[in-house]
Amino acid sequence: MLKEEILKSIEGGEQLQGFVDAIRKELKKKPKTIVVLDDDPTGTQTVYNVPVITEWTNKVLEKEILSSPVFFILTNSRSLQIQDANILAALIGSRLNKLSKKHKKELVLISRGDSTLRGHYPNEVYALAEGLQIPKAKHVLAPAFFEGGRYTYKNTHYVKEGKEFIPAAKTPFAKDNTFGYLSSNLINWIIEKTNTKADPKNIGSLSIKELRENSEEDLQSVLINPNISYIVANATSYADLEKLALACLQSKETIIYRTAASFVNAITGILPKDCLTKKEIFEENSKSGSLLVVGSYVPKTTLQLNYLKENTNAIFLELDVTNVLNTAVFSKEIEELIFRVNSNLEKGEDVVLFTSRTIIKGASESKSLEIVNLVSNGLICIVKNLSCTPKYIIAKGGITSSDVATKALKVKRALVMGQAIKGVPIWQLGEESKFPKMPYIIFPGNVGDETALYELLKLLK
């Protein structure tokens, strides 16, 4: 019954005209710079022709505010401990606040988080609000991500797996060692994440019925309600998110958004478009092999990796994470892998560098995150020591793709070209990077069915 209700809601939303023209008109009438703080690089999975910066000096931020109506700041905060994530969000917020006042630019701030509800919430948004000097800003929570099969219906967040809609808390993502949770209902999830500090009376929601049947003016009653601090956005179609975005843009309420990738399209007026063709991705043919770096350990990634092993002739090289706490053994293993990766790439062979599937758990959430980062540092060291330019690099997983981009490839600014397959963005790397203009493909750990990695490699062959 529920499945039929959600499908009916999705189909009904697809029939709606949407509000892209009205949003563009509103942004033209009242220009705003839309800044997306991305806690890993996967938030660019629905946009195109949009810049991403990986540093946030005043000079860099000022240049983007003056030249880009929409831009992403890759903070990679999901890999940080909670205190460091807070400090970073407050710092960026403070710098953006000063620059907006200096240049009289109105900013729209989006804290882009994972569509399966993992990440630093609410602390990261609180810290950002403090830095922006808007501590009482309302939080609009919109985790719907249609390209990845994430829908919010009757305040419950669902992950579509095959033909079924699974409540988010019943998926493997909810068992994350650092960011796990128990609630699929987003009102209860907010209460859970605030350690019961949020009062249910202060949490509002906008139903799909309200978003589709009420005017933007009618929606303001929830947005401007002084008793509401958090607003849950239900959505099963882009038209729902666009109606919400339009109402928010027209509102005088102070808002910070915590959303997944689809909302970025809605509030910017960027229409989703077809995935890129092979010809659009590559400017010229390369004789080198390609490199796929797999750090994500979620079950979906493991399924994709196993399918790839059974169906391709790529060279598979494993980084054994069980040695991660034995520095000498781990370092020697990395040295050997550096040699083998370079040797295979120079022969024109496609290489899959992957971490062993054993999850090494720490004694606490922070210790587990430390181990994740030690493993990621091993992968970084290997990519940093590439002597052969690959045809392209695919990085699998949020923390992995961020660390490979910023720490191994030294990317400071990139342009999002578009998507290789749904939910999988491609960046064109800047001139300052280790491999200028090389296609860098970010494959989220939670996207696609078991054949998705195989299909991507087949497309790029």
Side-chain angles (χ1 to χ4, degrees), residues 69-112:
V70 184
F71 66 95
F72 281 71
I73 304 172
L74 173 56
T75 65
N76 198 32
S77 59
R78 206 182 305 171
S79 71
L80 302 178
Q81 300 290 356
I82 188 168
Q83 299 88 346
D84 295 329
N86 292 347
I87 291 167
L88 179 56
L91 172 67
I92 294 175
S94 176
R95 289 178 179 175
L96 289 171
N97 179 50
K98 290 172 184 174
L99 289 168
S100 74
K101 288 177 178 176
K102 176 182 177 181
H103 296 289
K104 295 180 171 58
K105 286 270 191 179
E106 187 176 348
L107 304 181
V108 172
L109 266 294
I110 299 173
S111 172
R112 202 295 305 189

Side-chain angles (χ1 to χ4, degrees), residues 389-433:
T389 304
K391 182 179 181 181
Y392 59 85
I393 293 177
I394 300 173
K396 189 82 167 71
I399 292 174
T400 302
S401 56
S402 180
D403 284 349
V404 168
T406 59
K407 297 175 183 178
L409 300 178
K410 303 296 182 185
V411 178
K412 293 183 178 180
R413 191 178 192 271
L415 185 71
V416 184
M417 300 167 64
Q419 284 68 50
I421 59 177
K422 275 190 175 183
V424 178
I426 302 183
W427 293 3
Q428 185 180 66
L429 302 188
E431 293 294 339
E432 79 290 344
S433 67

